[in-house]
Amino acid sequence: MFPSVSELQNLLAQPRQIFITTHHKPDADALGSSLAWATYLKKKGHSVTVVTPSDYPAFLNWMQGNDEVVIYDPRQNDRQVRDLVNRAELLFCLDFNCLGRINELGEYVRQAPGTKVLIDHHQRPENFADVSFSDPKAAATAELIFEIIRALGDQDLIDQGMGEALYAGIMTDTGSFRHPSTSRNVHLIIAELLSANIDLASVHRRIYDSHSEIRLRFLGYILKDKLVVNREFNTAYIAVTKEELREYESKTGDTEGLVNYALSIEGIVLAAVFIDRGSAVKISFRSVGDFSVADFSRNHFEGGGHHNASGGVSNESLDKTVARFLSVLPQYQAQLVSTPTTPVAVAPPVA
Ligand SMILES: [Mn+2]
C-alpha cells in the first residue's frame, strides 16, 4: 500500500530512540494513534516517548500509555523536551500536516537531527518529513497506524489497549462511523480490532458520556441562547466569549463537538464555532457535501484540514471575526444554497 513501508522497516531494524508527537490539543485520533504506535514500537524493542504540545481533555486519559505522556509546557519542561527531540533518532509526527500545529515544538522538530516520519490524513502536508505516510482519503490517522502495523507484518501485536486507542481515533474522526470517509476498509479494520477484544461500548461511554454536569449546562445555554441560524446562507454558527468560558468553568475539550450541533440542523450546509481564547479566536468549521471548509478556512482564516471538517484562527476580536465571517458568506451563497445536504459518497481509499 505505502511505498515507504520498506523504508520504515529499515529505519526500525534496530532498537531506536523514538520521539512521537501530535497536534496541539490532541483529540482521540491524535492521542490514540500516538499511544497505540508507541506501544507497538516498545513491543519491538524501541525506547519511546510521546510528547504532546499541550494538554488534552480528561475524557482521553484512560488510554493505555497515557501515564507516560509528557505534556510539553514551555515554562515547566522545555529543557527536558528539547533534549528528547535532539536525542531522538526517529521523530514520528502523527495526525497533523504542518509544524505550526505543534506550537513551539515545531521549530525544535524542524531542526532536530533525527529522521522525521509523518503519518497523517490532513490535506496538503507541509514538506518537512524525510519519510511520509500521508493519505487524505484515510478516515483517521488511527486507520493509517493500523495499516502500517499490518503492512509491517505485526497485526498480531495489536492488543486490547492499542485496539481501543485506535478504535477511539477512528470512531471520533468518522463522527461515529457516519462521515463519508467511513469506507468499507474502515469497517473491516474495526472487525479486525474486535478480534483484539476491544470493548466498543466502554470506549464510546468513556469518550461521549463522561461530561461534568456544568459542561452539559454550558451546552444547554449555548444551544438555547448562542446558536445563530442564517437560512439565507444555510449556515449556523456559535460564538463563545471568554466570560462564558469562565462562567461555565470550561476545561480543555468542553467546546469540542459544539460545531456538530450547529451542523445537525436540517438544511444547514456550513457550521462554524468561534471560541475566544484570549490570545486568539479559535474556529471550527464543518460542512456537508461538496462545500469545502478546508478551502474556506485556508482562504479566510489561516487554517485548513479536511474537506468537511477544518479549523482556523483569527487574531481579531471575537466580534470582528464573526463580522468578517458573515461578510465573506455572500461570495459562497450560490454554493451554499445549492449544496444537497445529503452527503455525497467519496471513493474508498485504495487499501
Ligand atoms: Mn485525525
Side-chain angles (χ1 to χ4, degrees), residues 16-331:
R16 299 287 192 185
Q17 290 285 341
I18 295 178
F19 176 92
I20 299 175
T21 194
T22 188
H23 61 74
H24 175 74
K25 296 286 174 189
D27 55 15
D29 187 34
L31 193 70
S33 305
S34 298
L35 290 176
W37 186 235
T39 303
Y40 167 73
L41 293 172
K42 285 180 193 167
K43 288 186 182 196
K44 298 296 279 185
H46 304 286
S47 164
V48 189
T49 312
V50 175
V51 178
T52 59
S54 73
D55 66 346
Y56 47 84
F59 62 75
L60 297 179
N61 58 24
W62 53 270
M63 287 183 187
Q64 173 174 283
N66 174 72
D67 294 349
E68 290 164 47
V69 172
V70 175
I71 298 172
Y72 175 66
D73 180 340
R75 290 155 307 176
Q76 301 279 333
N77 55 10
D78 187 66
R79 232 235 126 84
Q80 180 206 355
V81 168
R82 238 186 316 177
D83 284 351
L84 285 167
V85 171
N86 288 326
R87 274 208 312 269
E89 299 169 270
L90 289 173
L91 300 99
F92 286 96
C93 297
L94 269 52
D95 202 39
F96 65 93
N97 60 354
C98 68
L99 290 173
R101 292 281 284 135
I102 58 171
N103 313 338
E104 297 91 335
L105 285 183
E107 278 315 300
Y108 297 169
V109 168
R110 193 189 299 281
Q111 287 161 28
T115 302
K116 288 145 214 158
V117 184
L118 175 79
I119 305 177
D120 178 50
H121 68 132
H122 293 85
Q123 294 178 356
R124 302 193 186 199
E126 175 190 338
N127 188 15
F128 68 88
D130 303 295
V131 181
S132 179
F133 298 86
S134 166
D135 182 1
K137 288 196 293 303
T141 297
E143 178 183 354
L144 299 175
I145 293 292
F146 178 89
E147 294 283 14
I148 291 167
I149 293 175
R150 180 158 65 182
L152 291 166
D154 287 324
Q155 193 187 326
D156 55 343
L157 292 183
I158 298 179
D159 59 29
Q160 186 186 349
M162 292 164 69
E164 290 182 354
L166 294 174
Y167 180 78
I170 296 172
M171 176 184 80
T172 53
D173 268 25
T174 57
S176 298
F177 308 99
R178 66 198 154 115
H179 297 333
S181 60
T182 314
S183 60
R184 176 175 183 273
N185 192 46
V186 163
H187 283 294
L188 290 172
I189 288 173
I190 301 306
E192 295 296 323
L193 294 179
L194 282 166
S195 305
N197 283 323
I198 61 165
D199 185 340
L200 306 190
S202 154
V203 172
H204 195 279
R205 190 160 168 77
R206 278 176 270 174
I207 298 233
Y208 292 121
D209 301 336
S210 62
H211 297 306
S212 59
E213 180 183 337
I214 198 166
R215 197 274 177 184
L216 214 62
R217 297 200 187 280
F218 171 66
L219 176 62
Y221 162 70
I222 293 292
L223 297 182
K224 179 171 167 289
D225 288 353
K226 300 302 302 274
L227 174 67
V228 181
V229 178
N230 181 327
R231 291 287 176 189
E232 198 185 346
F233 301 113
N234 287 338
T235 293
Y237 66 92
I238 295 163
V240 186
T241 66
K242 277 190 304 234
E243 291 71 28
E244 288 160 340
L245 294 176
R246 208 175 309 125
E247 186 184 340
Y248 286 92
E249 299 165 22
S250 176
K251 295 182 189 60
T252 295
D254 280 359
T255 54
E256 213 169 283
L258 288 183
V259 68
N260 297 319
Y261 287 97
L263 195 67
S264 73
I265 301 165
E266 198 248 313
I268 293 300
V269 172
L270 170 63
V273 167
F274 303 87
I275 310 275
D276 190 351
R277 292 289 177 199
S279 52
V281 176
K282 296 289 167 79
I283 314 166
S284 296
F285 296 108
R286 295 291 183 276
S287 65
V288 293
D290 284 344
F291 190 85
S292 169
V293 283
D295 292 343
F296 184 83
S297 183
R298 201 179 302 117
N299 292 341
H300 304 289
F301 294 98
E302 299 171 44
H306 308 293
H307 180 78
N308 291 130
S310 70
V313 67
S314 159
N315 292 312
E316 294 173 305
S317 69
L318 185 63
D319 288 347
K320 280 192 175 150
T321 303
V322 173
R324 191 154 61 82
F325 171 69
L326 295 173
S327 76
V328 298
L329 289 181
Q331 311 172 29

